[in-house]
Each structure stands twice: as structure tokens, then as C-alpha cells.
Amino acid sequence: MQAESPLGVGDEQEPGIRERGQGVPAEPVVAGISTDSDPSSLPIRLALSGGGVRAAAFHAGVLKRLAEEQLLERVTHISTVSGGSLLVSAVMTTNGYSWPGSAAYLDRVFPTLRNLLTTVDLFTVRAIGWRGLFRFNRRLLAHRASVLADLLAERWGITGRIRDLPETPVWHINATSLHTGKGWRFSAREMGDWKFGRHYAPDIRLADAAAASAAVPYVLGALWLDLPEEGWFRTDPATRKPLSRTQPPATRIGLWDGGAYENLGLEAIYKPGQTPDPAAFLICSDASGPLSAYGSASPLAILKGQLAGPRLFDIASDQIRALRSRMFMRDVEGGTVTGALFKMGVSVRDVDIKTGRPRPAREYDDFLDDGNVREALGHPTDLRAMTPAAFERIARHGFEVADVVLTTHSAASYPTSLRWQP
């Protein structure tokens, strides 16, 4: 068995290059997508980080930029954590449990996301209400993640099941197993981790999977999930190929936020030092917030919808994210991987300064200024509706980061800079 690396990056083969085996779905083939080495025609794999509704708005802007260039049709794999999982749940639900084309995203899905993120609280005192206090009762003390799942179904309309999801693109919803300490993934035809075992016919509510992915330790606490007793397979950590049937070590499992394991969601679509096979353009959209000032988090912040985790968790998560980012960028800059990192908090001017790209001073008037970028980054990691102005700022920031990174670092493939249109 392959030895596990300290960060878990070597314990599984990338899903895109797994061998076919009993119960394992074949790699999707998307008509019209080239797999040659030209980045302008490569399939796209997306990793959308956690970060509450701030991350959801940022990623919505990133997807808008991709849609403006008709790139959503090239997406073959998506990997999400926390706020990224909430966003894609809403995207899929809005589009009838299918991945939208670029025109559909711009015309219908993005306006719906804007309305949802600016009008509907997910987990606040106002969202729960007095009736909810009586209805959820002790669950508000011990099982808040399950309350979030119910509110996702009721307030955001996330009523489908995992099996309703499309097989293309392959969407991995990332959580963290309390039992094994590994990254637990849900997809249309699979759930589990390499140590616990994998089940290839999951019948789980999409709201439960998304809530598990966003279940910040101790703030929302673990989402406890009842599992089927049969249908589990022990798998090869390197190839993901089923080896034999197995009995699960438990029939009820606790799942934490995917960010407890890795907040970028990269592992499902990328392995450090390895070129994806088949070739793909990898995009990591990182909307993680900065490490908060010591002593600034309140234990009552959850009542306002804020996901302020324990200090130790925040420090560890920040360090893991930094390491993952550096490994990814090392492979991009070294030519092992073709891709891009869209990092929240980086302005157009920041990118220009780092790369030495000349730009007329007046042209910066077309972009968010550095103060607005910092304000977008400082938006709380929470689950409450944001103001329309905050959504505009954060989504526009995502759009502009995606645009400047693509047109600066992958200019041969993406030469045309686009401007934000509300």
C-alpha cells in the first residue's frame, strides 16, 4: 500500500486517472472538448474553496468571468469545500440538477445567485426564528449542522439528492471524517474515503452533503450521517480501484467541514508533482479569509451567522492552505501543471506590480480599487445574507481576479481582457 504523506496528498490517485473497476464509473467523455496540450482548448477542472457566503459570492464572480468567454462548457471536474459547496449546490438546483452552459449561467443562474445571497439568511437567529427554537430544540445545542441542512432545503430550495447530480462534470463535495481523519467525498456515484471504504450508490440528501462540507468544527459541529450497512468496498489508495467488499467500521459517521482537512479542495483534482491525465487546465479559486486577529472571535458569533472557528483550527487551516497553494503554484510555474490560482484579496494593481505589466494609470479606474478589494476580503465568513453592495463588490472582485490572472499568466490562451458588467 502506498505510504501516506503528512498532508494526505499521496494517499489517493487523482479521480481523473483512476482505473476502471467494479462499481467505479468510467471517466466522463465530454463531446467537443480537446485533450491536446493547447491550454485554450483543454478541459477545465475547478477547485472552489471554503469561506462561507463570502466565498460563494467570489466564486459566483469567477464563474461569471469564465461564462463570459464560454468556458463553462469545458468544465469536466469540480471540487468544492464549504462555501464553494453551498454555491455549486445552488447552481445545480437552479439549473435543474445539471451544470449550466455559459449562456444559461449569465442569463438565469447568476441573477438567481445574486438574489439568494442578498435576501436569504441561512443560519442566524432571524433564519431560525422563534418557531425554529421550539422545532429544532436540542439540535441547536448538539446538532447544528443538521439544522443547517434542513435550512438549506427549506430556505435555498436544495431539495435534491446526491444521485440526482449529473455525471458530467464530476463534482466532489469535500468533508472531513471524524472517524478516519481523511477527506471524505460525496459525488453522484460515490461517497467515502480510502480508509473507511467507498460506497458507489449513495442515497444522501444534497443538503446534507453541502452542510457536512460547511460544518465548521465546534461552531456548527459535525453532521452525523446514518450509512447503509451493505455495499461498501475496500479500495486501493493509489488507484481507487475496488479490491474487495468490506463491512464499514461504523454505520453512523460524523463529518466536519472539508476545510478541516484542506480548504482549497485541490486534492480531488490535482496531485503535487503529477501532470493530470488526461491533460486539463486547473483552476483553483481561493476565497479563504485572512487569519483573524487574536481575541476577535466571539463564542456567540454563530448567533449572527458567523463561522468563527477555534483559534487552533484557524491557524492549522491557514498553514495547510498556504502549503497547498505553494505546491500548486510551484507545479504551475515549473510546467508540470497548466493552470491558475485566483486568490481573493489580490487586486489588479497587485498582479501588475508583481509581473511588471505596464498599464496606463487611467485604466485602473475600470477596476475595483485596492480599498474595495480589502473590504471584500474582510467580509465575514458567515451564513447570513449580504447587502447588494457587498455582493457586487465581492463577485466583481472574483471576476476581475480571474480576468487579470488569465490574461497575464496565460495570455497566449486567454488574450482578451473583459470588463465587469453588473
Side-chain angles (χ1 to χ4, degrees), residues 48-59 81-86 213-214 216 257 259 263 286-289 307 344 379-383 386:
L48 305 180
S49 78
V53 296
R54 180 193 64 248
F58 183 83
H59 300 323
V81 178
S82 190
S85 299
L86 299 179
S213 185
V216 176
D257 186 323
N263 198 49
D286 180 11
S288 308
L307 302 179
M344 193 172 195
H379 190 91
T381 302
D382 61 18
L383 295 174
M386 60 181 63

Side-chain angles (χ1 to χ4, degrees), residues 55-195:
F58 183 83
H59 300 323
V62 167
L63 295 182
K64 188 175 189 295
R65 172 57 181 85
L66 299 181
E68 293 279 6
E69 202 163 341
Q70 291 77 51
L71 298 177
L72 294 188
E73 288 79 0
R74 284 170 43 193
V75 175
T76 59
H77 292 75
I78 310 168
S79 176
T80 60
V81 178
S82 190
S85 299
L86 299 179
L87 175 79
V88 177
S89 294
V91 169
M92 292 289 193
T93 300
T94 300
N95 204 53
Y97 296 99
S98 64
W99 181 246
S102 296
Y105 183 82
L106 295 172
D107 294 343
R108 185 179 67 255
V109 176
F110 183 79
T112 300
L113 296 175
R114 178 196 290 118
N115 181 67
L116 199 62
L117 291 170
T118 58
T119 62
V120 184
D121 284 351
L122 261 184
F123 199 103
T124 62
V125 170
R126 182 171 60 183
I128 295 168
W130 288 107
R131 291 183 180 180
L133 292 176
F134 291 101
R135 173 189 168 195
F136 298 125
N137 204 331
R138 287 177 294 180
R139 289 170 62 193
L140 288 170
L141 296 176
H143 298 286
R144 289 181 295 278
S146 70
V147 175
L148 173 60
D150 287 350
L151 294 175
L152 273 169
E154 296 166 12
R155 298 181 67 81
W156 275 25
I158 311 297
T159 57
R161 306 188 77 79
I162 288 291
R163 64 188 179 190
D164 297 331
L165 297 174
E167 295 196 21
T168 303
V170 177
W171 176 23
H172 298 283
I173 304 171
N174 295 277
T176 304
S177 168
L178 271 68
H179 288 67
T180 65
K182 306 302 177 188
W184 180 284
R185 297 178 196 150
F186 297 95
S187 62
R189 295 292 177 265
E190 183 179 312
M191 71 173 175
D193 65 50
W194 72 267
K195 191 170 184 180

Side-chain angles (χ1 to χ4, degrees), residues 338-397:
T338 303
L341 173 65
F342 305 153
K343 185 170 175 57
M344 193 172 195
V346 175
S347 69
V348 172
R349 192 187 303 271
D350 289 330
V351 175
D352 288 350
I353 291 172
K354 185 173 182 179
T355 60
R357 176 177 178 175
R359 193 187 297 266
R362 186 180 298 275
E363 194 172 331
Y364 289 108
D365 295 343
D366 295 336
F367 305 108
L368 279 180
D369 61 38
D370 298 273
N372 273 295
V373 168
R374 298 308 296 177
E375 191 171 349
L377 177 64
H379 190 91
T381 302
D382 61 18
L383 295 174
R384 64 189 301 178
M386 60 181 63
T387 66
F391 177 85
E392 177 83 4
R393 181 186 306 114
I394 296 171
R396 179 177 178 178
H397 179 36

Side-chain angles (χ1 to χ4, degrees), residues 1 45 55 106 109 144 164 198 219 231 236 240-242 263 270 308 314 323 352 362 371 403 412 420:
M1 179 177 291
R45 299 184 181 187
L106 295 172
V109 176
R144 289 181 295 278
D164 297 331
R198 290 193 172 88
V219 181
D236 187 311
R240 298 173 60 89
K241 183 177 180 179
N263 198 49
Y270 152 79
D314 287 346
L323 288 170
D352 288 350
R362 186 180 298 275
D403 183 82
W420 169 263

Side-chain angles (χ1 to χ4, degrees), residues 207-229:
D208 285 325
S213 185
V216 176
Y218 307 110
V219 181
L220 290 174
L223 184 131
W224 289 89
L225 197 63
D226 292 320
L227 300 175
E229 296 183 6

